[in-house]
């Protein structure tokens, strides 16, 4: 299809197509862009390009909404089936919900190191390879994270050299 014709159609319909898709899905700009990509792949202009674009946007938006719903259901199921971070029967130690909340407040890099080391059993060398950092950088992030968690949870660490 002629690039100038696509440009004119983009100028004329893009805002309305995004608004239309926004009613149906969470990624309206992506859906509108995909519709124009499909239009550009056509050999000739459709008889009614405006209606064609709206139909394609509608179909793509519905597909996107279904995919997002499937993804949310899958993520919820996976979260429900994943093991708890803490032993719910344990009565000693900090409150698991408070620890999870405190973990969520850590910077992503520090949180990744803590989870990979404590729950994943990775060494700092392995974590460094995963994160693209040195083992010492990973260890420093881990120590910063533990210090932050101690402060937020009001916990002390009597055997600091063993952490």
């Amino acid at each position: 299809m002629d690039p100038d014709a696509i440009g004119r159609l983009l100028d004329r319909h893009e805002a309305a197509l995004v608004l239309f898709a926004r009613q149906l899905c969470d990624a309206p700009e992506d859906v509108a862009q995909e519709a124009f990509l499909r239009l550009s792949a056509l050999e000739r202009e459709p008889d009614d390009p405006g209606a064609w674009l709206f139909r394609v946007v509608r179909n793509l938006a519905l597909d996107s909404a279904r995919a997002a719903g499937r993804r949310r259901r899958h993520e919820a199921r996976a979260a429900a089936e994943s093991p708890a971070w803490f032993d719910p029967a344990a009565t000693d130690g900090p409150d698991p919900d408070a620890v999870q909340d405190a973990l969520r407040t850590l910077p992503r890099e520090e949180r990744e190191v803590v989870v990979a080391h404590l729950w994943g059993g990775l060494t700092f060398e392995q974590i460094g390879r995963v994160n693209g950092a040195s083992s010492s950088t990973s260890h420093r992030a881990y120590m910063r994270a533990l210090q932050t968690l101690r402060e937020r949870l009001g916990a002390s660490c009597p055997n600091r050299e063993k952490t």
Side-chain angles (χ1 to χ4, degrees), residues 18-62:
V18 169
L19 180 63
F20 184 67
R22 186 168 286 129
Q23 311 313 305
L24 303 170
C25 72
D26 295 333
E29 292 85 2
D30 293 345
V31 165
Q33 182 180 23
E34 178 64 25
F36 280 101
L37 287 172
R38 290 185 182 193
L39 178 67
S40 71
L42 297 178
E43 290 184 22
R44 66 177 190 84
E45 186 173 315
D47 292 335
D48 187 350
W52 186 92
L53 282 166
F54 272 88
R55 186 182 74 237
V56 170
V57 163
R58 179 181 182 278
N59 291 342
L60 290 170
L62 291 173

Side-chain angles (χ1 to χ4, degrees), residues 115-126:
V115 172
H117 184 65
L118 294 180
W119 284 275
L122 296 180
T123 66
F124 294 115
E125 185 177 329
Q126 290 171 316

